[in-house]
Amino acid sequence: MSRKSRIRAGSGVTLHDVGQAAGVSAITVSRVLHTPDKVSEALREKVLAAVEQLGYVPNRAARHLASARSHTVLVLIPSLSNTVFIDTLTGIEEVLQPAGYQLLIGNTHYDADQELQLLRAYLEHSPDGLLLTGLAQSEAFRNLVARHQLPAVHMMDLASDGRDCVGFSQEDAGRAMTAHLLARGYRRIAFLGAQLDERVQKRLAGYRAALSAAGCQPAHELLDPRPSSMQMGADMLDALLAAQPDCDAVFCCNDDLAIGLLARCQQRGIAVPARLAVAGFNDLAPSAWTTPPLTTIATPRHDIGRIAAQQLLARLQGKSGETACIDLGFALQHRQSS
């Protein structure tokens, strides 16, 4: 599909269309959008409701040349401070920048509403494609992407509904780590989770499934929706052992928690793994240098960014056919903490 046809089909909702839906003139719509303080609140609400209903987004590029490509790609990630997503961005840049594309990077802060707001804001710049994290976008987000016929590739997970995606099974990875701990002889295995985004929830589901298959029950689950940190991991160890002192292994949803937990074990004189086995997730660089080195799941985050960018680029260049879900797998790194 050409750029020109996509603009007309998706972004082609005009001020006149919005005005007709709201029962006002196009000039009034423009005034509401650009000088809202000069119109009444009732009129503003009526026009903005029509904007929302029709999915209208001002298209700066189309104002100059409707058939031109912007040579930009919108990348939505949940954190700009998390090494996992920095590595993913590096992989994306390696593919798209040599191909002449610039990145529009939006930090969603793990918030679906903010993700939608960022999409609306960046659509004004008429991106040629979209790379986004995970699969749990809001219905309004999905509708807006469909309305603008924006090519999109999802990263970090695997979809079963035909969406383009590059990642691995978060649930299988959670199951694999728990199975490893069970194979090592641990039976009272706890789970520590932070942030509680969709990927953490799937790791938790894998943990529960592995325990159930082995005829075991979770020793304890500590789930905190706040952002993850090493301090949280240390504090969670204290809370865990106060609630479940006979716990013999801990599966942390990420390495930040696990590294903080290991440090607190050292402070409290808790032998790892003799007294308590510890496992993390993501295999961050410090994980091989903790005391003892941390057992964790290595995730192909750089390759996820690189291959997702290649997949999107192929679509933008008209070289891609059917949608594809690419499973890059994961690797269990067994070290001395378990």
Side-chain angles (χ1 to χ4, degrees), residues 67-81:
S67 62
R69 284 185 177 272
S70 68
H71 290 284
T72 61
V73 167
L74 175 56
V75 183
L76 296 178
I77 58 173
S79 173
L80 284 172
S81 60

PDB file of all heavy atoms in Angstrom, residues 67-81:
ATOM      1  N   SER A  67       2.107  12.590  -0.267  1.00  0.00           N
ATOM      2  CA  SER A  67       2.689  11.341  -0.744  1.00  0.00           C
ATOM      3  C   SER A  67       4.077  11.068  -0.166  1.00  0.00           C
ATOM      4  O   SER A  67       4.663  10.025  -0.444  1.00  0.00           O
ATOM      5  CB  SER A  67       2.769  11.366  -2.275  1.00  0.00           C
ATOM      6  OG  SER A  67       3.622  12.420  -2.695  1.00  0.00           O
ATOM      7  N   ALA A  68       4.627  11.984   0.630  1.00  0.00           N
ATOM      8  CA  ALA A  68       6.000  11.828   1.120  1.00  0.00           C
ATOM      9  C   ALA A  68       6.059  10.904   2.316  1.00  0.00           C
ATOM     10  O   ALA A  68       5.170  10.902   3.159  1.00  0.00           O
ATOM     11  CB  ALA A  68       6.570  13.190   1.500  1.00  0.00           C
ATOM     12  N   ARG A  69       7.136  10.141   2.392  1.00  0.00           N
ATOM     13  CA  ARG A  69       7.395   9.356   3.594  1.00  0.00           C
ATOM     14  C   ARG A  69       8.096  10.243   4.610  1.00  0.00           C
ATOM     15  O   ARG A  69       8.881  11.122   4.257  1.00  0.00           O
ATOM     16  CB  ARG A  69       8.278   8.156   3.264  1.00  0.00           C
ATOM     17  CG  ARG A  69       7.544   7.017   2.563  1.00  0.00           C
ATOM     18  CD  ARG A  69       8.461   5.837   2.390  1.00  0.00           C
ATOM     19  NE  ARG A  69       7.773   4.701   1.786  1.00  0.00           N
ATOM     20  CZ  ARG A  69       7.111   3.786   2.482  1.00  0.00           C
ATOM     21  NH1 ARG A  69       7.040   3.884   3.794  1.00  0.00           N
ATOM     22  NH2 ARG A  69       6.518   2.778   1.877  1.00  0.00           N
ATOM     23  N   SER A  70       7.854   9.984   5.860  1.00  0.00           N
ATOM     24  CA  SER A  70       8.518  10.762   6.900  1.00  0.00           C
ATOM     25  C   SER A  70       9.891  10.197   7.249  1.00  0.00           C
ATOM     26  O   SER A  70      10.706  10.866   7.864  1.00  0.00           O
ATOM     27  CB  SER A  70       7.651  10.776   8.169  1.00  0.00           C
ATOM     28  OG  SER A  70       7.597   9.473   8.741  1.00  0.00           O
ATOM     29  N   HIS A  71      10.117   8.921   6.894  1.00  0.00           N
ATOM     30  CA  HIS A  71      11.360   8.215   7.240  1.00  0.00           C
ATOM     31  C   HIS A  71      11.610   8.248   8.743  1.00  0.00           C
ATOM     32  O   HIS A  71      12.735   8.441   9.199  1.00  0.00           O
ATOM     33  CB  HIS A  71      12.548   8.778   6.460  1.00  0.00           C
ATOM     34  CG  HIS A  71      12.487   8.437   5.000  1.00  0.00           C
ATOM     35  ND1 HIS A  71      12.797   7.195   4.504  1.00  0.00           N
ATOM     36  CD2 HIS A  71      12.088   9.186   3.936  1.00  0.00           C
ATOM     37  CE1 HIS A  71      12.625   7.188   3.184  1.00  0.00           C
ATOM     38  NE2 HIS A  71      12.188   8.372   2.827  1.00  0.00           N
ATOM     39  N   THR A  72      10.530   8.081   9.475  1.00  0.00           N
ATOM     40  CA  THR A  72      10.616   7.935  10.927  1.00  0.00           C
ATOM     41  C   THR A  72       9.857   6.687  11.350  1.00  0.00           C
ATOM     42  O   THR A  72       8.906   6.276  10.674  1.00  0.00           O
ATOM     43  CB  THR A  72      10.023   9.150  11.668  1.00  0.00           C
ATOM     44  OG1 THR A  72       8.629   9.278  11.327  1.00  0.00           O
ATOM     45  CG2 THR A  72      10.754  10.430  11.321  1.00  0.00           C
ATOM     46  N   VAL A  73      10.305   6.095  12.439  1.00  0.00           N
ATOM     47  CA  VAL A  73       9.613   4.948  13.035  1.00  0.00           C
ATOM     48  C   VAL A  73       9.381   5.253  14.507  1.00  0.00           C
ATOM     49  O   VAL A  73      10.305   5.684  15.220  1.00  0.00           O
ATOM     50  CB  VAL A  73      10.443   3.652  12.886  1.00  0.00           C
ATOM     51  CG1 VAL A  73       9.878   2.537  13.769  1.00  0.00           C
ATOM     52  CG2 VAL A  73      10.466   3.199  11.428  1.00  0.00           C
ATOM     53  N   LEU A  74       8.171   5.066  14.946  1.00  0.00           N
ATOM     54  CA  LEU A  74       7.831   5.265  16.353  1.00  0.00           C
ATOM     55  C   LEU A  74       8.160   4.003  17.143  1.00  0.00           C
ATOM     56  O   LEU A  74       7.742   2.906  16.773  1.00  0.00           O
ATOM     57  CB  LEU A  74       6.341   5.597  16.485  1.00  0.00           C
ATOM     58  CG  LEU A  74       5.781   5.717  17.903  1.00  0.00           C
ATOM     59  CD1 LEU A  74       6.545   6.741  18.731  1.00  0.00           C
ATOM     60  CD2 LEU A  74       4.295   6.054  17.860  1.00  0.00           C
ATOM     61  N   VAL A  75       8.923   4.153  18.221  1.00  0.00           N
ATOM     62  CA  VAL A  75       9.288   3.041  19.097  1.00  0.00           C
ATOM     63  C   VAL A  75       8.744   3.341  20.489  1.00  0.00           C
ATOM     64  O   VAL A  75       9.114   4.351  21.100  1.00  0.00           O
ATOM     65  CB  VAL A  75      10.809   2.839  19.174  1.00  0.00           C
ATOM     66  CG1 VAL A  75      11.132   1.622  20.032  1.00  0.00           C
ATOM     67  CG2 VAL A  75      11.408   2.686  17.783  1.00  0.00           C
ATOM     68  N   LEU A  76       7.865   2.493  20.978  1.00  0.00           N
ATOM     69  CA  LEU A  76       7.282   2.674  22.311  1.00  0.00           C
ATOM     70  C   LEU A  76       7.820   1.599  23.248  1.00  0.00           C
ATOM     71  O   LEU A  76       7.627   0.404  23.006  1.00  0.00           O
ATOM     72  CB  LEU A  76       5.753   2.593  22.238  1.00  0.00           C
ATOM     73  CG  LEU A  76       5.073   3.693  21.417  1.00  0.00           C
ATOM     74  CD1 LEU A  76       3.563   3.474  21.366  1.00  0.00           C
ATOM     75  CD2 LEU A  76       5.386   5.066  21.986  1.00  0.00           C
ATOM     76  N   ILE A  77       8.514   2.038  24.290  1.00  0.00           N
ATOM     77  CA  ILE A  77       9.071   1.123  25.284  1.00  0.00           C
ATOM     78  C   ILE A  77       8.640   1.580  26.669  1.00  0.00           C
ATOM     79  O   ILE A  77       8.334   2.757  26.888  1.00  0.00           O
ATOM     80  CB  ILE A  77      10.608   1.054  25.199  1.00  0.00           C
ATOM     81  CG1 ILE A  77      11.213   2.445  25.401  1.00  0.00           C
ATOM     82  CG2 ILE A  77      11.052   0.454  23.869  1.00  0.00           C
ATOM     83  CD1 ILE A  77      12.718   2.429  25.501  1.00  0.00           C
ATOM     84  N   PRO A  78       8.617   0.670  27.651  1.00  0.00           N
ATOM     85  CA  PRO A  78       8.104   1.037  28.978  1.00  0.00           C
ATOM     86  C   PRO A  78       9.098   1.739  29.883  1.00  0.00           C
ATOM     87  O   PRO A  78       8.711   2.259  30.917  1.00  0.00           O
ATOM     88  CB  PRO A  78       7.681  -0.308  29.578  1.00  0.00           C
ATOM     89  CG  PRO A  78       8.506  -1.304  28.875  1.00  0.00           C
ATOM     90  CD  PRO A  78       8.753  -0.778  27.495  1.00  0.00           C
ATOM     91  N   SER A  79      10.393   1.764  29.520  1.00  0.00           N
ATOM     92  CA  SER A  79      11.378   2.380  30.405  1.00  0.00           C
ATOM     93  C   SER A  79      12.628   2.759  29.618  1.00  0.00           C
ATOM     94  O   SER A  79      13.108   1.973  28.800  1.00  0.00           O
ATOM     95  CB  SER A  79      11.756   1.421  31.534  1.00  0.00           C
ATOM     96  OG  SER A  79      12.835   1.941  32.306  1.00  0.00           O
ATOM     97  N   LEU A  80      13.154   3.950  29.905  1.00  0.00           N
ATOM     98  CA  LEU A  80      14.408   4.378  29.308  1.00  0.00           C
ATOM     99  C   LEU A  80      15.576   4.211  30.274  1.00  0.00           C
ATOM    100  O   LEU A  80      16.709   4.562  29.939  1.00  0.00           O
ATOM    101  CB  LEU A  80      14.310   5.846  28.863  1.00  0.00           C
ATOM    102  CG  LEU A  80      13.522   6.092  27.573  1.00  0.00           C
ATOM    103  CD1 LEU A  80      13.330   7.577  27.335  1.00  0.00           C
ATOM    104  CD2 LEU A  80      14.211   5.443  26.382  1.00  0.00           C
ATOM    105  N   SER A  81      15.306   3.678  31.459  1.00  0.00           N
ATOM    106  CA  SER A  81      16.374   3.440  32.429  1.00  0.00           C
ATOM    107  C   SER A  81      16.660   1.949  32.619  1.00  0.00           C
ATOM    108  O   SER A  81      17.638   1.592  33.277  1.00  0.00           O
ATOM    109  CB  SER A  81      16.004   4.066  33.785  1.00  0.00           C
ATOM    110  OG  SER A  81      14.809   3.501  34.297  1.00  0.00           O
TER     111      SER A  81
END
